[in-house]
Amino acid sequence: MSQTTLGDDELFGEAAEEMRADVEEHLDQARAELPAAADVWETEADNVLGVLNGLRSALDAGDAEEHLRQAKKWYTMGERADAFEDAADLAAAIEDLESLIDAIGEAHDDVSDLTNAIPELRGSLQEFEDEETEE
């Protein structure tokens, strides 16, 4: 084996370690952006709209999607370069995090829909009650 090949293999090994570290770092940063379970569950609102607004805010995943995207990018590069000896743990972590972020996004959308619908429904009910009182 020539000196160049040994140096290239060593550099490739270092690059693979750095790539794995980048993936792990972005996964950690994505996890840190996720809402806390208590923030999604507990509330101190005075009415339903306050609860919904608080929940909608709590369901903000911040930059988790961007960090996940970066993790997936570096993971894909490492996989294609066959740089990882065993990357099953990274693949599983990416998949789990992606599913969780998708679920948070769907819940956020559902709560947003309710947040918009409840005031309209309240207004309609109030009008109905007022009409009933007038008769």
Side-chain angles (χ1 to χ4, degrees):
M1 185 180 283
S2 74
Q3 184 65 26
T4 304
T5 303
L6 180 60
D8 289 348
D9 288 345
E10 190 175 305
L11 290 174
F12 186 80
E14 284 180 32
E17 288 175 21
E18 289 174 11
M19 224 178 287
R20 182 177 186 82
D22 282 345
V23 172
E24 291 171 347
E25 180 181 339
H26 283 292
L27 288 172
D28 289 343
Q29 290 173 337
R31 287 182 195 104
E33 290 288 325
L34 296 177
D39 291 342
V40 173
W41 190 252
E42 298 171 5
T43 188
E44 293 186 24
D46 294 330
N47 57 43
V48 172
L49 189 57
V51 169
L52 291 172
N53 280 324
L55 182 56
R56 182 173 55 185
S57 294
L59 289 171
D60 181 6
D63 290 333
E65 272 188 86
E66 180 56 30
H67 289 297
L68 177 62
R69 183 180 183 287
Q70 291 298 317
K72 287 172 70 173
K73 178 175 69 175
W74 289 111
Y75 173 79
T76 301
M77 284 186 64
E79 276 294 293
R80 287 190 182 165
D82 199 25
F84 303 131
E85 288 182 27
D86 181 21
D89 61 326
L90 294 177
I94 287 170
E95 186 176 318
D96 291 346
L97 195 52
E98 188 169 36
S99 294
L100 184 54
I101 290 171
D102 287 345
I104 291 168
E106 287 176 23
H108 184 274
D109 291 345
D110 291 344
V111 171
S112 293
D113 290 345
L114 275 173
T115 302
N116 293 330
I118 293 299
E120 291 176 28
L121 178 59
R122 180 177 181 254
S124 296
L125 289 169
Q126 188 66 50
E127 286 176 18
F128 178 76
E129 289 174 6
D130 290 347
E131 289 174 4
E132 290 291 309
T133 304
E134 289 175 4
E135 291 179 2

